[in-house]
Amino acid sequence: MECRAIGNAGHSVEGRCGASRSTSWWRRFRRQGLRPASSARWNWAKGIPMRACGVSGPGGDVILLDLPDPPSPGPGQVLVAVEAAGVGPWDGLLSGDGWDVGLRPPAALGVEGAGRVLAVGADVDEFAVGDQVLAHEAPLPGGSGFWAERVLLTAADAAPCPSGLSPSEAAALPVNGLTAWQALATLALGRGQRLLITNGGGNTGSLAIQLAAAMGVEVTATASASATGRLRGLGAAQVVDYHDQDWPDQVRGQFDGALTAASGTAAAAMPLVRDGGRLCSLTFDAPAPERAITTTDLTVQPDATQLAGLAKRLSEGTLQLTPEPLPLREGPIAFARVAAGRTGGRKVVLIP
């Protein structure tokens, strides 16, 4: 097998370096001063089923599972010991027809997370065993996701995790951060222009507020009244209560762009966008173009370079998010909370 990997004691398997896994792995870690989680190393080496949370079949309920390990990393892949995994409403789409990420049930859900590299496939030069990484991955090369003790990733989709960033913080960032970044890139706004964000109190919306405000864009956001102070602190110039059905009448229209992150708000936002402006929907309900307004339904894409930049901002404190870490055994309950929108603006992450 052409990969640099750890192995179980007493067995000599030739790897890329020509040394046995059982000895070369430990020597490498001692030289680098790294201390990986012993349980992750031992369980993978011994072939013990890993704990996971996911679905047993297509469209099934979210349950706790014991799963076989992911396959050993092939060329361009890495095996990661998951330290934290993000939970989002999109995870409910993974096991049905909503979002095909190559899931092969029984399998763990989750398309984002953070952890340490356990094994590195051939042709991977950017990471070594023991490196801490974060990633959004779709499709999933191993057919199973991050809500597990281990996950197989495409190395090119992973970003190095900055020192000082906790696994929970790192795991909370990828999907929401990349979505906010890519949506703002689609809208292509500049300093002094005006942006409307619906569901500004959500994880993607609050990150978009911060990123847009840092660019000098004037942001108006819809959110619950209780989130007003928090969103103003993040950079929103105006926050209106979405519970008020007449909220469009409370804002001054002629926005240069609109980012709609709440279902059913794209149609209400469209009349508020100026002629020739742009609207980007995250809920796949962008109206047909009119008045020379460009409309887009955005699907987030993995991008290691963008993710590395976002992680750097988060580690430096210029970007803020609030993770809520929960043990993996609470995964089904945590997912139900997220799907129902009962998170209070916090990003739920699971800790294996």
Side-chain angles (χ1 to χ4, degrees), residues 224-240:
S224 63
S226 61
T228 299
R230 175 171 65 91
L231 299 189
R232 284 189 176 276
L234 295 178
Q238 182 184 14
V239 181
V240 295

Side-chain angles (χ1 to χ4, degrees), residues 3-4 19 64 90 108 140 150 157 186 267 275-276 323:
C3 74
R4 301 188 294 274
L64 298 179
W90 52 80
L140 296 160
R150 292 168 289 284
D157 293 336
T186 298
D275 293 357

Side-chain angles (χ1 to χ4, degrees), residues 161-254:
C161 189
S163 60
L165 201 61
S166 72
S168 293
E169 292 170 323
L173 179 64
V175 172
N176 295 114
L178 287 172
T179 301
W181 183 274
Q182 292 170 16
L184 291 174
T186 298
L187 294 171
L189 301 181
R191 181 171 296 277
Q193 293 190 295
R194 303 182 65 234
L195 170 65
L196 172 66
I197 298 177
T198 64
N199 191 20
N203 292 295
T204 298
S206 62
L207 288 169
I209 289 171
Q210 297 173 68
L211 293 168
M215 295 187 295
V217 174
E218 179 188 309
V219 180
T220 294
T222 69
S224 63
S226 61
T228 299
R230 175 171 65 91
L231 299 189
R232 284 189 176 276
L234 295 178
Q238 182 184 14
V239 181
V240 295
D241 189 347
Y242 75 91
H243 292 101
D244 186 342
Q245 293 184 351
D246 296 325
W247 67 262
D249 297 330
Q250 300 179 32
V251 300
R252 178 170 57 88
Q254 296 298 299

Side-chain angles (χ1 to χ4, degrees), residues 16-32:
R16 189 170 179 178
C17 297
S20 73
R21 288 188 193 168
S22 57
T23 57
S24 64
W25 185 85
W26 281 110
R27 287 172 183 163
R28 227 175 3 255
F29 267 87
R30 285 168 178 164
R31 284 199 303 268
Q32 297 175 21

Side-chain angles (χ1 to χ4, degrees), residues 54-55 57-62 86-101 103 108-111 147 331-332 334-336 338-340:
V55 291
D61 293 334
V62 175
V87 181
W90 52 80
D91 288 304
L93 304 175
L94 303 186
S95 63
D97 298 326
W99 188 12
D100 184 5
V101 296
L103 205 70
L109 296 180
V111 292
W147 298 1
F335 171 71
V338 171

